[in-house]
Amino acid sequence: MRQRKITMQNIIEKFHFVVLAGKEGIEREVTTSSLSRAGLVLAGYTNYYPANRIQILGKTELSFLAQLPQNIRIERFTGMCHENTPGIIFSRNLPVLPEFIEIGEKLQIPLLSARGKTTRVASRLTNYLESMFAPFTAMHGVLVDIYGMGVLITGKSGVGKSETALELVKRGHRLVADDSVEIYQEDEETLIGYSPDLIKHLLEIRGLGIINVMTLFGAGSVRSNKRIDLIVNLESWDQEKNYDRLGLDEQTEKIIDTNVPRVVVPVRPGRNLAIIIEVAAMNYRMKRLGVNAAQIFSDRLQEKIENEEKDNLFSSF
């Protein structure tokens, strides 16, 4: 499990903020996804000031500062500019007083201008930082969108993952990533998988080499990311192993801190893996809707056994 390093430079490039001052400090690292609107600090109360957060000043804060005497205004704004403050963002493209520009330049703290409303800027920035700070990892496998279900196909090298993914794409499903799937945890129950930029839309087929799925099958055959709903592990058929034939035994695999449902599909000549995985995705979707074919069969079987036991009991009299 890893975490990304985020700097103010990344944020400037992502949201196209305008640098007003402190350009020398744009490599300051952002260490938290939380933001701060420094209302009480501007009023002079500096206890519990979260100096390590990105600070956002809007129309309310700037109008309050503008009515203060200049010496107090400079003192309050300087109090916001700690050595570990990543940067200060001014929303609505509001004009910034020259003394603030001077302080930003002197202390090398980036002062940025944003076009949108304060709440909108804060919301977009928080969503971005939450996703960037989410724990993430990488797994060997293929991620395919099948009927809206994100299916991660895993297995040993050479078992047929990419060939199966190619058949699924031909059947109208969409490729997300091949070979290496990068995964981040959006929340406790949600994992999002995507492809590294280097191999995006590419599929490796032994004997053919690298093919571009989007070029061959069109833009509708790929997508950039997908929630992982199901893991299908392909393994070579083992005559000594007892495979689940009913589907009552539900397995899970832990990725980061999330348990994902998992099925094992044995591979041998003559089995159409693409159709099997397609049906596995549809069957899991039906389970989420409350229709469990294996459980229905088990209930019917149990009911029949109980009825036969009753018949045998009455026939003995």
Side-chain angles (χ1 to χ4, degrees):
M1 187 173 66
R2 298 169 289 173
Q3 283 189 329
R4 300 177 179 87
K5 179 181 178 180
I6 309 297
T7 66
M8 291 302 296
Q9 175 71 37
N10 301 134
I11 292 174
I12 293 168
E13 293 175 354
K14 172 68 177 178
F15 296 98
H16 307 291
F17 292 152
V18 177
V19 181
L20 303 175
K23 191 173 182 179
E24 296 81 1
I26 61 174
E27 291 301 325
R28 286 174 177 255
E29 185 175 355
V30 181
T31 59
T32 176
S33 61
S34 299
L35 307 179
S36 175
R37 293 192 65 176
L40 288 176
V41 174
L42 299 181
Y45 184 77
T46 58
N47 292 353
Y48 311 110
Y49 170 55
N52 63 327
R53 300 180 184 179
I54 294 176
Q55 310 295 320
I56 297 184
L57 300 183
K59 187 176 182 179
T60 303
E61 291 83 4
L62 289 180
S63 61
F64 173 76
L65 286 170
Q67 69 180 7
L68 296 176
Q70 185 180 36
N71 62 327
I72 297 178
R73 183 165 61 233
I74 293 174
E75 178 186 344
R76 300 277 172 85
F77 188 78
T78 304
M80 291 179 55
C81 301
H82 285 225
E83 60 181 11
N84 58 344
T85 300
I88 300 174
I89 299 174
F90 301 89
S91 64
R92 295 173 174 265
N93 280 342
L94 293 168
V96 180
L97 294 172
E99 51 260 42
F100 296 167
I101 302 294
E102 293 177 8
I103 294 170
E105 289 288 356
K106 179 181 178 180
L107 301 179
Q108 296 185 359
I109 293 181
L111 305 186
L112 312 177
S113 177
R115 188 169 54 248
K117 295 181 179 180
T118 310
T119 52
R120 177 62 174 163
V121 172
S123 176
R124 293 181 61 210
L125 187 53
T126 298
N127 290 339
Y128 169 72
L129 292 175
E130 288 284 358
S131 65
M132 296 302 290
F133 280 116
F136 78 104
T137 186
M139 289 186 64
H140 178 64
V142 182
L143 181 58
V144 186
D145 178 359
I146 303 176
Y147 297 127
M149 306 286 294
V151 179
L152 177 62
I153 305 172
T154 62
K156 293 182 179 179
S157 181
V159 77
K161 299 185 297 297
S162 297
E163 291 81 359
T164 302
L166 179 60
E167 177 65 24
L168 287 166
V169 170
K170 285 186 63 180
R171 293 175 64 86
H173 306 294
R174 295 188 285 178
L175 176 72
V176 180
D178 176 51
D179 190 50
S180 178
V181 182
E182 295 192 344
I183 303 168
Y184 74 89
Q185 187 178 40
E186 189 173 69
D187 55 50
E188 292 183 0
E189 301 296 330
T190 306
L191 296 172
I192 304 296
Y194 60 96
S195 174
D197 291 336
L198 182 64
I199 57 175
K200 185 177 291 186
H201 306 155
L202 302 180
L203 196 62
E204 179 194 358
I205 305 296
R206 283 177 171 81
L208 292 181
I210 304 295
I211 65 172
N212 190 312
V213 172
M214 187 172 70
T215 302
L216 291 177
F217 300 98
S221 64
V222 297
R223 63 176 301 163
S224 59
N225 59 72
K226 181 62 183 171
R227 169 176 172 164
I228 298 175
D229 299 295
L230 179 67
I231 298 173
V232 177
N233 185 60
L234 304 181
E235 64 175 41
S236 299
W237 190 289
D238 185 354
Q239 295 288 348
E240 305 297 324
K241 185 174 180 179
N242 293 322
Y243 293 101
D244 185 13
R245 299 183 64 179
L246 293 180
L248 288 173
D249 298 331
E250 296 187 355
Q251 304 178 31
T252 61
E253 181 173 333
K254 191 172 186 179
I255 301 178
I256 307 179
D257 294 322
T258 302
N259 290 316
V260 183
R262 175 178 180 266
V263 296
V264 177
V265 175
V267 178
R268 70 175 181 180
R271 302 197 89 196
N272 191 323
L273 295 177
I275 292 179
I276 293 173
I277 293 175
E278 194 177 61
V279 172
M282 290 189 291
N283 188 52
Y284 175 70
R285 188 174 186 177
M286 292 302 295
K287 285 183 178 180
R288 293 207 310 187
L289 293 173
V291 181
N292 190 329
Q295 190 61 52
I296 292 173
F297 171 76
S298 178
D299 293 341
R300 288 176 181 174
L301 182 61
Q302 183 65 31
E303 183 180 357
K304 184 173 180 59
I305 292 173
E306 291 175 355
N307 289 337
E308 288 182 353
E309 288 178 351
K310 289 180 180 178
D311 291 342
N312 292 334
L313 178 62
F314 289 130
S315 63
S316 63
F317 288 100

